[in-house]
Amino acid sequence: MFRIATRALCRKNLSLSLSPSSSTTFQKRHAEDEKSNLSNDGKKSRVNSIKKYWLFRYVDYVKNYDQVLEKNFPKTMHVYRVFSVGTKVFYEDLKRYIKVRKKIKQCGMRALTREELQLMFTMPKDLMKISPVLLISAIPFTNYIIFPLVFYFPHLLLTSHYWSIEDKLKFMLKEHKKKLLYNKPLFRCLQKQVSSVKDARLKGELQNVVACLGSGTHPTVNSILSCKVLFSGPPYSLSCIKRRHVKMLLKIHGMSTLGLWNKRRLLKRGLLVKQMDEAIQKEGGVTKLPYDALRWAVSFRGVNPVNMSDESMQNWLGKWLAISSQVDECSISLLLHSPILLAYNYETNWTLLYHDKKK
C-alpha cells in the first residue's frame, strides 16, 4: 500500500510541474530577472563611461595645464620655464665639476680636457653668483620676490645657464667691452718701460713691436717672440711690473683688483690659459674646435668674435697658440700681455669699443 501511495503522489507532482500554467510562470520570472540584470548592467556601464570621460578630461587638462598658464600668464611662465630649465643645466654642470675636481686629485690638471678646463674656470664664479638666488628661492613664498628680480636683472643675478642665445651674446659683448676699456692704459704702461731696456738689440725689437701697435697694426709672431726675454725679467716680468701695470693686466683679463696677492693670481691665470692652449693642441688644434668653443676661446683671449668667420678666428687663435707654445712659467707674462700684442688694433674690438661713440 505504501508503494502504491508513493507512486501516486509522484505522478501527481510531476503532472503539476509539467502543467502549462507553471511553465509560463517560470519563464516570466526568468525574463524579469534577465531584464533587471540588463538594466543594472546598463546603469553600471553608463556610470563607468561617465567616469572614464571625466577622468580622461582631467588627465588632458593636467597635461595641457602649462599651455593654459602660458596663455593666461605668458611672462610669468616664461620666467618659470627659464628658471627651471636653467637650474637643470646648472645642476648637470655642477655634477661634472665635482667629477673634474676628483679627477684633478687623482691625475692632476694636465689630464683635463679643454672642456673640463673651461668648466674649472667658469664654474667657481657661477657658484658664487647663483648660490644666493637658489638659497633664497628655497625659502617658502620668496619666489614672488626672486622671479621678478631675475627677470629684470638676469645679468646680475643669474649665470649663463639661464640666459637665452640673445642674452648670451649681449652680455658677452658687455663684458668684453669692459675689458677693452683698459687696453689703451695697458699699452701706455708697456710703452713707458721701453726706455728702461738697456740691451740695444732688445730695445730695438721692442720699439718695433710698440711702433706697430701705435700705428694701428700688429707685430708678427716672430717679432713678439724676439722680445720674450723681456717678459721673463726686467721690465715686464710679473715680479718687475709696477702696481698700476698689475691693475691693468687684471682688468683686461676680467679679474677683480680688490683681492690680495694679485701677481700670484695673474700667474695662476696665465698657467690656466697655457693649459687650455695645450689641451686644444692635444685635441687636434684650432680646426677641430666646435663653433661655440671657438667663439668662446677667441673672446676669452681678447678678441670680439662677432662678425668673424671661422677661418679668421682660427687664424688668430693659431697665432696665439704659436706664442703660447714658446712660453713657460718664467715668461708667462708674455702670454698675459698677448691680448694687447695680438688684439689691440683688431677691427672687431675697435668696432665694439667706438661704434656707439660714432653714433
Side-chain angles (χ1 to χ4, degrees):
M1 290 294 294
F2 178 76
R3 290 181 178 178
I4 293 171
T6 304
R7 289 175 180 175
L9 289 171
C10 288
R11 287 174 182 175
K12 186 177 180 180
N13 290 333
L14 183 61
S15 63
L16 288 172
S17 63
L18 294 175
S19 62
S21 61
S22 65
S23 63
T24 304
T25 304
F26 177 77
Q27 290 175 356
K28 287 181 178 179
R29 288 179 179 176
H30 183 68
E32 288 176 357
D33 291 340
E34 286 184 348
K35 287 181 180 179
S36 63
N37 290 333
L38 288 173
S39 63
N40 291 332
D41 291 341
K43 290 179 180 179
K44 290 180 180 179
S45 63
R46 285 196 296 271
V47 171
N48 289 334
S49 63
I50 292 172
K51 287 181 179 179
K52 288 180 181 179
Y53 172 76
W54 286 108
L55 179 62
F56 289 140
R57 286 291 301 272
Y58 177 74
V59 171
D60 290 338
Y61 178 77
V62 171
K63 286 182 178 179
N64 300 321
Y65 188 64
D66 57 342
Q67 297 179 4
V68 175
L69 293 175
E70 182 73 32
K71 183 178 179 180
N72 295 326
F73 311 100
K75 290 185 178 181
T76 304
M77 283 302 295
H78 172 71
V79 175
Y80 171 75
R81 189 175 293 108
V82 168
F83 198 78
S84 59
V85 172
T87 301
K88 291 178 182 178
V89 177
F90 176 79
Y91 181 64
E92 292 297 323
D93 277 356
L94 181 59
K95 290 194 294 184
R96 288 176 53 224
Y97 176 71
I98 294 172
K99 291 180 181 178
V100 173
R101 297 289 298 182
K102 292 180 180 178
K103 185 177 179 180
I104 292 173
K105 290 182 179 179
Q106 295 174 355
C107 307
M109 287 286 289
R110 294 192 176 278
L112 301 184
T113 64
R114 174 192 54 81
E115 290 184 352
E116 290 170 341
L117 286 167
Q118 182 175 331
L119 186 65
M120 285 297 299
F121 170 72
T122 58
M123 198 62 191
K125 296 193 298 183
D126 289 344
L127 280 171
M128 292 290 291
K129 192 174 185 180
I130 197 64
S131 294
V133 176
L134 295 178
L135 291 174
I136 295 173
S137 63
I139 302 173
F141 307 111
T142 56
N143 292 337
Y144 299 105
I145 302 173
I146 290 297
F147 282 178
L149 287 176
V150 300
F151 179 75
Y152 287 107
F153 306 103
H155 186 215
L156 297 176
L157 299 176
L158 297 178
T159 62
S160 59
H161 305 86
Y162 300 86
W163 301 341
S164 64
I165 297 176
E166 293 80 8
D167 287 339
K168 288 179 180 179
L169 178 61
K170 181 174 70 173
F171 298 148
M172 183 271 289
L173 292 176
K174 185 177 180 180
E175 291 297 322
H176 195 77
K177 188 173 182 179
K178 284 183 181 179
K179 297 177 186 178
L180 293 179
L181 292 173
Y182 298 95
N183 276 8
K184 184 173 287 187
L186 182 58
F187 174 67
R188 297 303 182 199
C189 291
L190 275 171
Q191 198 176 34
K192 188 177 180 180
Q193 295 297 322
V194 173
S195 60
S196 65
V197 178
K198 297 179 180 179
D199 187 286
R201 184 187 64 81
L202 290 174
K203 187 174 183 178
E205 296 285 354
L206 182 60
Q207 285 175 336
N208 290 334
V209 169
V210 172
C212 284
L213 295 173
S215 64
T217 60
H218 288 105
T220 64
V221 171
N222 290 331
S223 298
I224 294 172
L225 289 175
S226 66
C227 301
K228 173 185 169 183
V229 66
L230 298 175
F231 291 86
S232 56
Y236 300 124
S237 70
L238 288 180
S239 60
C240 296
I241 56 178
K242 298 179 180 180
R243 181 180 297 180
R244 176 173 171 77
H245 200 140
V246 171
K247 184 178 179 180
M248 295 303 107
L249 268 181
L250 289 168
K251 287 293 187 179
I252 70 164
H253 288 283
M255 302 170 68
S256 173
T257 59
L258 301 177
L260 300 176
W261 302 291
N262 289 331
K263 292 183 179 182
R264 187 182 302 178
R265 290 167 56 213
L266 282 170
L267 175 62
K268 290 180 66 176
R269 171 60 62 86
L271 293 176
L272 175 63
V273 175
K274 181 169 174 58
Q275 288 170 356
M276 290 181 176
D277 296 340
E278 291 174 348
I280 291 173
Q281 296 283 34
K282 288 179 183 177
E283 295 173 14
V286 295
T287 57
K288 299 297 182 181
L289 286 177
Y291 179 72
D292 290 338
L294 184 60
R295 281 171 60 94
W296 188 90
V298 170
S299 175
F300 176 63
R301 289 162 177 81
V303 170
N304 171 23
V306 176
N307 298 325
M308 287 181 66
S309 65
D310 289 5
E311 185 179 359
S312 59
M313 286 191 288
Q314 289 170 0
N315 289 337
W316 186 88
L317 190 57
K319 294 177 182 178
W320 177 285
L321 296 180
I323 294 175
S324 179
S325 63
Q326 302 298 317
V327 168
D328 54 17
E329 184 173 342
C330 294
S331 57
I332 201 69
S333 181
L334 177 60
L335 197 62
L336 291 169
H337 284 84
S338 291
I340 294 294
L341 301 173
L342 290 176
Y344 180 69
N345 294 310
Y346 213 83
E347 181 180 358
T348 55
N349 282 351
W350 281 82
T351 301
L352 177 63
L353 193 57
Y354 297 109
H355 181 67
D356 294 335
K357 292 182 180 180
K358 289 180 181 178
K359 285 184 177 181

